[in-house]
Amino acid sequence: MTDRKKETLSSLCLFLTSLIWGFAFVAQVQGMEFMGAFTFGGVRFAMGALALLPVILLFERGRGRPGEARQTLLTGALTGVILFIASTLQQYGILLTQSAGKSGFITGLYTVLTPIFSIALGKRPGLLTALGAVSAFAGLYFLSVPEGFGAVTLGDALLVACAVFWAFHIMMVDSLASRVRPIRFSVVQFAVCAILSLISMALFEQPTLAALWAGRVPLLYGAFFSVGIAYTLQIVGQRHVPPAKAAIIFSLESLFAALGGFLLLKEQLGWKGWLGGALMFLGIVLSQVNIKKRAKAV
């Protein structure tokens, strides 16, 4: 198979990954009809971690280098804590907004915030990153107040905070997990996130088996499709696709979230909401184009 065909097939894998992740917002909205945020998150990430165990046998066999297991546990635990915070904020934001489309667009802010926060690491963002940030935050305003130019709701604020912690998560993964095998690392962070969510569930919620069974479809989608299948497709796809191109493909996640909300939940964002979503998507793409130019320079 030629390199061009490999990149084409790999790009298709990443496209399917974005599609699955985008429609996962619909599953999260539906799941909250039957159970609390901690219950949904805890069961979802626990099942997701289990779903990745067979993938380790396919891609990451062997013991690895000396000390790798300890490093994997440490870095996975640290990022798992951030993942728990980010996913919990997202779940409560989705609960309050009750909108897959809006949640997808606002969560997509992390792709703009990540290069901005990298200033703290001594990296200087370019002009397109600045323009992307302006466009994204302008879009956030239109998207957050579609009924009138008033205050941002609590649900919107939680989703913005969620995007901040997703950006922190990406930066931590970039700096801490570069020397460990990615799937094993992901299993550890998913497991830590699941444990923290289940502890919080025991403290603050009262789940029932009937509720879990009633919400089995969104749970199964969130665990096996969003985590197991999508993550595997991401691993396979990124082997033959440049990081900058992969980032642009992943930015489609917010559009698929809006499409899923429109088709499956009959969401109506209104012209201000769609304008805000378009501005946020433009900001996301601009920030990734800037990354592409930096990657070429390197």
Side-chain angles (χ1 to χ4, degrees):
M1 184 181 296
T2 64
D3 291 340
R4 185 178 182 85
K5 288 184 178 180
K6 287 181 180 179
E7 183 173 343
T8 301
L9 291 176
S10 296
S11 297
L12 178 60
C13 288
L14 298 183
F15 179 84
L16 291 175
T17 300
S18 296
L19 177 65
I20 294 172
W21 282 345
F23 276 80
F25 284 93
V26 176
Q28 289 176 266
V29 172
Q30 294 174 331
M32 297 298 290
E33 297 176 3
F34 306 101
M35 64 198 76
F38 291 122
T39 302
F40 185 85
V43 176
R44 173 194 176 192
F45 281 105
M47 294 170 64
L50 292 174
L52 284 179
L53 291 179
V55 182
I56 293 177
L57 298 178
L58 293 175
F59 296 101
E60 295 181 356
R61 292 183 180 181
R63 296 182 59 184
R65 59 182 177 79
E68 183 180 354
R70 181 176 179 275
Q71 189 176 16
T72 300
L73 289 173
L74 178 60
T75 57
L78 289 174
T79 54
V81 173
I82 301 299
L83 178 63
F84 164 72
I85 298 172
S87 61
T88 301
L89 289 171
Q90 183 185 66
Q91 203 62 47
Y92 274 105
I94 291 174
L95 173 65
L96 294 176
T97 61
Q98 288 293 302
S99 173
K102 176 189 283 191
S103 301
F105 280 122
I106 297 178
T107 301
L109 273 176
Y110 75 87
T111 60
V112 179
L113 294 174
T114 301
I116 294 177
F117 290 163
S118 65
I119 297 175
L121 300 177
K123 300 179 182 179
R124 185 177 179 181
L127 176 61
L128 287 179
T129 297
L131 292 176
V134 172
S135 178
F137 283 102
L140 172 64
Y141 182 78
F142 281 103
L143 189 66
S144 299
V145 287
E147 302 299 329
F149 294 94
V152 175
T153 68
L154 176 60
D156 299 331
L158 290 177
L159 290 171
V160 172
C162 149
V164 171
F165 277 95
W166 279 127
F168 288 160
H169 179 264
I170 289 174
M171 295 172 67
M172 288 185 66
V173 170
D174 181 62
S175 61
L176 297 177
S178 58
R179 297 184 180 180
V180 297
R181 287 183 280 186
I183 304 178
R184 296 189 182 199
F185 164 80
S186 292
V187 168
V188 173
Q189 67 166 344
F190 291 155
V192 169
C193 180
I195 291 171
L196 294 175
S197 297
L198 293 174
I199 292 175
S200 301
M201 175 196 73
L203 293 175
F204 302 109
E205 297 174 356
Q206 296 179 336
T208 63
L209 291 176
L212 292 174
W213 178 253
R216 63 189 181 278
V217 173
L219 270 177
L220 289 172
Y221 185 94
F224 292 106
F225 282 87
S226 181
V227 176
I229 295 177
Y231 188 79
T232 304
L233 288 173
Q234 180 192 14
I235 294 295
V236 173
Q238 286 195 261
R239 286 184 170 186
H240 303 289
V241 176
K245 183 178 179 180
I248 294 176
I249 296 175
F250 287 147
S251 69
L252 294 173
E253 176 187 348
S254 59
L255 287 183
F256 288 131
L259 179 63
F262 177 74
L263 294 177
L264 301 178
L265 302 178
K266 308 302 180 183
E267 293 179 359
Q268 299 293 333
L269 293 178
W271 72 267
K272 291 179 182 176
W274 285 111
L275 174 61
L279 288 172
M280 293 192 72
F281 182 70
L282 175 62
I284 291 170
V285 172
L286 284 175
S287 66
Q288 302 311 318
V289 170
N290 192 55
I291 291 176
K292 184 175 181 179
K293 287 187 175 182
R294 289 204 304 268
K296 284 185 176 181
V298 173

